[in-house]
Coordinates of all heavy atoms in Angstrom, one line a residue:
I507 N 231.5 -61.5 -72.6 CA 231.6 -60.8 -73.9 C 232.8 -61.3 -74.6 O 233.8 -61.6 -73.9 CB 231.5 -59.3 -73.8 CG1 232.7 -58.8 -73.0 CG2 230.2 -58.8 -73.3 CD1 232.7 -57.3 -72.9
D508 N 232.8 -61.4 -75.9 CA 233.9 -61.9 -76.7 C 234.8 -60.7 -77.0 O 234.5 -59.9 -77.9 CB 233.4 -62.6 -78.0 CG 234.6 -63.2 -78.8 OD1 235.8 -63.1 -78.3 OD2 234.3 -63.6 -79.9
L509 N 236.0 -60.6 -76.4 CA 236.9 -59.5 -76.6 C 238.1 -59.9 -77.5 O 239.0 -59.2 -77.6 CB 237.4 -59.0 -75.3 CG 236.4 -58.3 -74.4 CD1 236.9 -58.0 -73.0 CD2 235.8 -57.0 -75.1
S510 N 237.9 -61.1 -78.1 CA 239.0 -61.5 -79.1 C 239.0 -60.8 -80.4 O 239.9 -60.7 -81.1 CB 238.9 -63.1 -79.3 OG 237.7 -63.4 -80.0
V511 N 237.8 -60.2 -80.7 CA 237.6 -59.4 -81.9 C 237.6 -57.9 -81.5 O 236.9 -57.5 -80.6 CB 236.3 -59.8 -82.6 CG1 236.2 -59.0 -83.9 CG2 236.3 -61.3 -82.9
K512 N 238.3 -57.2 -82.3 CA 238.4 -55.7 -82.1 C 237.4 -55.0 -83.0 O 237.6 -54.9 -84.2 CB 239.8 -55.2 -82.3 CG 240.8 -55.6 -81.2 CD 242.2 -54.9 -81.5 CE 243.1 -55.1 -80.3 NZ 243.3 -56.5 -79.9
Y513 N 236.3 -54.6 -82.5 CA 235.3 -53.9 -83.3 C 235.6 -52.4 -83.2 O 236.2 -51.9 -82.3 CB 233.9 -54.1 -82.7 CG 233.4 -55.5 -82.9 CD1 233.4 -56.4 -81.8 CD2 233.0 -56.0 -84.1 CE1 233.0 -57.7 -81.9 CE2 232.6 -57.4 -84.3 CZ 232.6 -58.2 -83.2 OH 232.2 -59.5 -83.3
P514 N 235.2 -51.6 -84.2 CA 235.5 -50.2 -84.2 C 235.0 -49.4 -82.9 O 235.6 -48.5 -82.5 CB 234.8 -49.6 -85.5 CG 234.7 -50.8 -86.3 CD 234.5 -52.0 -85.4
D515 N 233.9 -49.9 -82.4 CA 233.3 -49.2 -81.2 C 233.5 -49.9 -79.9 O 233.1 -49.4 -78.9 CB 231.8 -49.0 -81.5 CG 231.0 -50.3 -81.6 OD1 231.6 -51.4 -81.7 OD2 229.8 -50.2 -81.5
F516 N 234.2 -51.1 -79.9 CA 234.4 -51.8 -78.6 C 235.6 -52.8 -78.8 O 235.5 -53.7 -79.6 CB 233.1 -52.5 -78.2 CG 233.0 -52.8 -76.7 CD1 232.0 -52.3 -76.0 CD2 234.0 -53.6 -76.1 CE1 231.9 -52.5 -74.6 CE2 233.9 -53.8 -74.7 CZ 232.9 -53.3 -74.0
F517 N 236.6 -52.6 -78.0 CA 237.7 -53.6 -78.1 C 238.6 -53.5 -76.9 O 238.6 -52.6 -76.1 CB 238.6 -53.3 -79.4 CG 239.2 -51.9 -79.5 CD1 240.4 -51.6 -79.0 CD2 238.5 -50.9 -80.2 CE1 241.0 -50.4 -79.1 CE2 239.0 -49.7 -80.3 CZ 240.3 -49.4 -79.8
L518 N 239.4 -54.6 -76.7 CA 240.3 -54.8 -75.6 C 241.7 -54.7 -76.1 O 242.1 -55.3 -77.1 CB 240.1 -56.2 -75.0 CG 241.2 -56.6 -74.0 CD1 241.1 -55.9 -72.7 CD2 241.0 -58.1 -73.7
L519 N 242.6 -54.0 -75.3 CA 244.0 -53.9 -75.6 C 244.7 -54.6 -74.4 O 244.7 -54.1 -73.2 CB 244.5 -52.5 -75.7 CG 243.9 -51.7 -76.9 CD1 244.3 -50.2 -76.8 CD2 244.4 -52.3 -78.2
E520 N 245.1 -55.9 -74.6 CA 245.6 -56.7 -73.5 C 246.9 -56.2 -73.0 O 247.9 -56.1 -73.8 CB 245.7 -58.2 -73.9 CG 246.0 -59.1 -72.8 CD 244.8 -59.7 -72.2 OE1 243.7 -59.9 -72.9 OE2 244.8 -60.1 -71.0
K521 N 247.1 -55.9 -71.7 CA 248.3 -55.5 -71.1 C 248.6 -56.3 -69.9 O 247.7 -56.6 -69.1 CB 248.3 -54.0 -70.8 CG 248.1 -53.1 -72.1 CD 249.1 -53.2 -73.1 CE 248.8 -52.6 -74.4 NZ 249.7 -52.8 -75.5
E522 N 249.9 -56.5 -69.6 CA 250.2 -57.4 -68.5 C 250.6 -56.9 -67.2 O 250.9 -57.6 -66.2 CB 251.5 -58.3 -69.0 CG 251.2 -59.1 -70.2 CD 250.0 -60.1 -70.0 OE1 249.9 -60.7 -68.9 OE2 249.1 -60.2 -70.9
S523 N 250.6 -55.5 -67.0 CA 250.9 -54.9 -65.7 C 250.3 -53.6 -65.6 O 250.1 -52.9 -66.7 CB 252.4 -54.9 -65.5 OG 253.0 -53.9 -66.4
P524 N 250.1 -53.0 -64.4 CA 249.6 -51.7 -64.2 C 250.5 -50.6 -64.9 O 250.0 -49.6 -65.4 CB 249.5 -51.5 -62.7 CG 249.3 -52.9 -62.2 CD 250.1 -53.8 -63.1
E525 N 251.8 -50.9 -64.8 CA 252.8 -49.9 -65.4 C 252.6 -49.8 -66.9 O 252.6 -48.8 -67.5 CB 254.2 -50.3 -65.0 CG 254.5 -50.2 -63.6 CD 253.9 -51.2 -62.7 OE1 253.6 -52.3 -63.2 OE2 253.6 -50.9 -61.5
M526 N 252.4 -51.0 -67.6 CA 252.2 -51.0 -69.0 C 250.9 -50.4 -69.4 O 250.8 -49.6 -70.4 CB 252.2 -52.5 -69.5 CG 253.5 -53.2 -69.5 SD 253.4 -54.9 -70.1 CE 252.9 -54.6 -71.8
I527 N 249.8 -50.6 -68.5 CA 248.6 -49.9 -68.7 C 248.7 -48.4 -68.7 O 248.2 -47.7 -69.5 CB 247.5 -50.4 -67.7 CG1 247.2 -51.9 -68.0 CG2 246.2 -49.6 -67.8 CD1 246.3 -52.5 -66.9
Q528 N 249.4 -47.9 -67.7 CA 249.7 -46.5 -67.5 C 250.3 -45.9 -68.8 O 249.9 -44.9 -69.3 CB 250.5 -46.2 -66.3 CG 249.9 -46.3 -65.0 CD 250.8 -46.0 -63.8 OE1 251.9 -45.5 -64.1 NE2 250.4 -46.2 -62.6
R529 N 251.4 -46.6 -69.3 CA 252.1 -46.1 -70.4 C 251.2 -46.1 -71.7 O 251.2 -45.1 -72.5 CB 253.3 -46.9 -70.7 CG 254.4 -46.8 -69.7 CD 255.8 -47.3 -70.2 NE 255.7 -48.8 -70.4 CZ 256.0 -49.6 -69.5 NH1 256.4 -49.2 -68.3 NH2 256.0 -50.9 -69.7
Y530 N 250.3 -47.1 -71.8 CA 249.5 -47.1 -73.0 C 248.3 -46.1 -72.9 O 247.9 -45.6 -73.9 CB 249.0 -48.5 -73.3 CG 248.7 -48.7 -74.7 CD1 249.7 -48.9 -75.6 CD2 247.4 -48.7 -75.2 CE1 249.4 -49.0 -77.0 CE2 247.1 -48.8 -76.6 CZ 248.1 -49.0 -77.4 OH 247.9 -49.1 -78.8
L531 N 247.9 -45.9 -71.7 CA 246.8 -44.8 -71.5 C 247.4 -43.5 -72.0 O 246.6 -42.7 -72.7 CB 246.4 -44.7 -70.1 CG 245.6 -45.9 -69.5 CD1 245.3 -45.6 -68.0 CD2 244.3 -46.1 -70.2
V532 N 248.6 -43.2 -71.7 CA 249.2 -41.9 -72.1 C 249.3 -41.9 -73.7 O 249.0 -40.9 -74.3 CB 250.6 -41.8 -71.5 CG1 251.4 -40.6 -72.2 CG2 250.5 -41.6 -70.0
Q533 N 249.7 -43.1 -74.2 CA 249.9 -43.1 -75.7 C 248.5 -43.0 -76.4 O 248.4 -42.3 -77.4 CB 250.5 -44.5 -76.1 CG 250.9 -44.6 -77.5 CD 251.7 -45.9 -77.8 OE1 252.1 -46.6 -76.9 NE2 251.8 -46.2 -79.1

Side-chain angles (χ1 to χ4, degrees):
I507 58 177
D508 181 7
L509 293 172
S510 63
V511 181
K512 289 181 170 60
Y513 294 103
D515 63 345
F516 203 118
F517 57 90
L518 165 72
L519 298 171
E520 189 94 31
K521 301 298 170 186
E522 296 303 319
S523 71
E525 292 71 29
M526 289 180 65
I527 293 173
Q528 286 182 8
R529 288 196 296 271
Y530 206 76
L531 290 176
V532 169
Q533 191 175 343

